Amino acid sequence: MESILKPLDLLEEQAGAGTGTWLPCSGPRLSAVSPIDGRQIGAIRSAGRGDCNAVISRAVEAFKTWRTLPAPRRGEIVRQIGDALRLRKKELGALVSLETGKIRAEGEAEVQEMIDIADFALGQSRMLYGLSMHSERPDHRMYEQWHPLGPVGVITAFNFPVAVWSWNALIALVAGDTVIWKPSSKAALTAIAVMKIVWPVLRRNNLPEGILSLLAGGRDAVGDPLINDQRVPLISATGSVRMGRHVARTVAARLGRSLLELGGNNAIIVTPSADIELAVRAILFGAVGTAGQRCTTTRRLIVHADIYERIAAELLNVYRQIKIGNPLEEGVLMGPLIDTDATAALQAALVQVKDQGGRVLYGGTVLSGGLYDAGTYVTPCICEARADMPIVQAETFAPLLYLIKYETIEEAVACHNAVPQGLSSAVFTRDIRESEFFLSTRGSDCGIANVNIGTSGAEIGGAFGGEKETGGGRESGSDAWKVYMRRQTCTVNWSSELPLAQGISFTLG
């Protein structure tokens, strides 16, 4: 543990609030506990309400300077942030694993995602395009441009403790905004480590404090004051649907903007023409990766009746081969759940499966003995279910996969769409009619729709997000940068006349 924490300067108690330097925080002590073995790996003095106000005030002041830098210059600084993260990829990736239970490969991949976003944002800094439009009035020019918005609040969840921050923060930086990060209290140590890596880059560029800030603390002291503050025009929040509803109501009440990335109840449809081997590999990672704790985790498998028994048999075979254990060890494919509450939620879901007429085909066991005594290790679970079961409509944040039969592609898509969430989706087929139907307006109702790849592992170049209870937000690629800026329509009259739009005449006499 020390070999991970020492290079990142995390051995002592850490402050939970800072703007470039750390503040003497006034909140309660927060323990950082590893789900790997239940041990405390660090301590954080969390932020209080006064710290929250100080951080926001500094972000407001820093915005006055940051917004005036040319966008390509802002991009160059983000490039340097990416380089700083590159130098600490191994250590930071190990910390992600230590604090959240991800296997080492996934922890390092998450840091790589931050680096990739920095590269992407560098290019985006030269492509903050507006439009030129033809005016209906003679000798007039009309166009639109995009300006920095202001301080942006970014609230992240434990399952992607650094990548989701980077999707927001690095794009917001090139857009000219300052960023205030409220990480999950279950992964605050990783957030502190990131700030310690990136703040020196800002200092070397002689930039003011407050461009990138951190607020680690609870809802009452930090969360609610942040989302209620009029000085923060945009709140980007990733987490549960319940949390998203609270953020949306609060921010809307002050007529602010919210970008929400909430629950997922993602499904894969497997048709008779599918490449079964390819599908099984994708299902395995989609359902078991990150111990089922991704918003894009595959939770429902909708399989044609003709191949149902074969798919079930192949999945049972590969599930029995999954090595479960310390995620920092070589060969382990599944680490622990984040805490014992997550274990209890899985057990409660399995009771409901049985009560509602479903059947557990494999897994769901809470492991014990040695490392497993932490109470966070479970065997990944496969259940036979019906699409109309209430438990299937809900998101259980654990490695729980429901198998559902279908007869026609229309029935499969209707089953797929019959849940409140709408994040990620996939179909495995070699039939172009099936794939095109799935991608059509009559097909998947999700923000992400894939053919012959799984629901997990979205690329940064596309806009990430979903519909319905997933919140409607979009982050990362495509034109997601626009949410972090304010649009302005400009009209220039270069004539000596004053014609009005729509032919209106407004003259005296």
Side-chain angles (χ1 to χ4, degrees), residues 330-360:
E330 194 72 30
V332 170
L333 290 182
M334 187 175 127
L337 298 179
I338 188 64
D339 54 29
T340 54
D341 288 344
T343 305
L346 173 60
Q347 298 307 298
L350 293 177
V351 171
Q352 294 182 61
V353 168
K354 296 171 186 175
D355 289 347
Q356 294 168 20
R359 186 163 65 102
V360 177

Side-chain angles (χ1 to χ4, degrees), residues 308-344:
Y308 182 88
E309 296 301 332
R310 179 183 172 188
I311 290 287
E314 295 211 17
L315 284 173
L316 289 172
N317 179 50
V318 295
Y319 265 53
R320 292 188 180 104
Q321 300 175 49
I322 295 169
K323 185 176 179 181
I324 303 165
N326 186 330
L328 291 168
E329 291 181 2
E330 194 72 30
V332 170
L333 290 182
M334 187 175 127
L337 298 179
I338 188 64
D339 54 29
T340 54
D341 288 344
T343 305

Side-chain angles (χ1 to χ4, degrees), residues 266-276 279 283 298 300-304 307 311 404-417 424-430 434-435 437-439 442-444 450-455:
N266 316 292
I268 293 177
I269 298 171
V270 186
T271 76
S273 70
D275 180 330
I276 301 300
I283 295 161
T298 304
R300 297 175 296 139
L301 190 61
I302 305 167
V303 185
H304 193 276
I307 57 171
I311 290 287
I404 303 165
K405 290 182 185 178
Y406 82 91
E407 296 288 346
T408 68
I409 189 65
E410 291 81 7
E411 177 193 351
V413 169
C415 169
H416 173 280
N417 292 348
S424 188
S425 60
V427 64
F428 277 79
T429 180
R430 289 174 170 143
E434 290 177 331
S435 64
F437 178 76
F438 181 76
L439 298 175
R442 292 175 290 162
S444 168
N450 298 327
V451 177
N452 295 329
I453 59 171
T455 61

Side-chain angles (χ1 to χ4, degrees), residues 109-148:
E110 187 169 349
V111 180
Q112 184 61 49
E113 195 162 348
M114 300 173 73
I115 296 164
D116 293 345
I117 281 284
D119 291 343
F120 180 88
L122 169 62
Q124 190 69 72
S125 70
R126 293 181 181 271
M127 297 185 294
L128 304 177
Y129 296 137
L131 297 173
S132 178
M133 296 158 282
H134 289 278
S135 173
E136 65 185 66
R137 291 170 285 190
D139 299 337
H140 282 58
R141 180 167 63 89
M142 186 165 62
Y143 68 98
E144 70 177 24
Q145 60 183 350
W146 297 83
H147 289 305

Side-chain angles (χ1 to χ4, degrees), residues 363-388:
T365 304
V366 180
L367 301 174
S368 60
L371 182 73
Y372 295 150
D373 284 337
T376 52
Y377 292 87
V378 300
T379 51
C381 189
I382 301 174
C383 293
E384 199 168 64
R386 300 185 319 275
D388 62 351

Side-chain angles (χ1 to χ4, degrees), residues 25 34 36 45 53 71 81 87 94 96 100 155 170 206 208 212 244 294 303 332 339 392 429-430 453 467 507 509:
C25 294
S34 174
I36 295 174
R45 180 61 60 182
N53 181 63
I81 288 173
L87 295 175
V96 170
T100 69
I155 300 171
L170 302 186
N206 298 313
L212 289 174
R294 288 177 176 237
V303 185
V332 170
D339 54 29
V392 175
T429 180
R430 289 174 170 143
I453 59 171
E467 303 300 325
T507 59

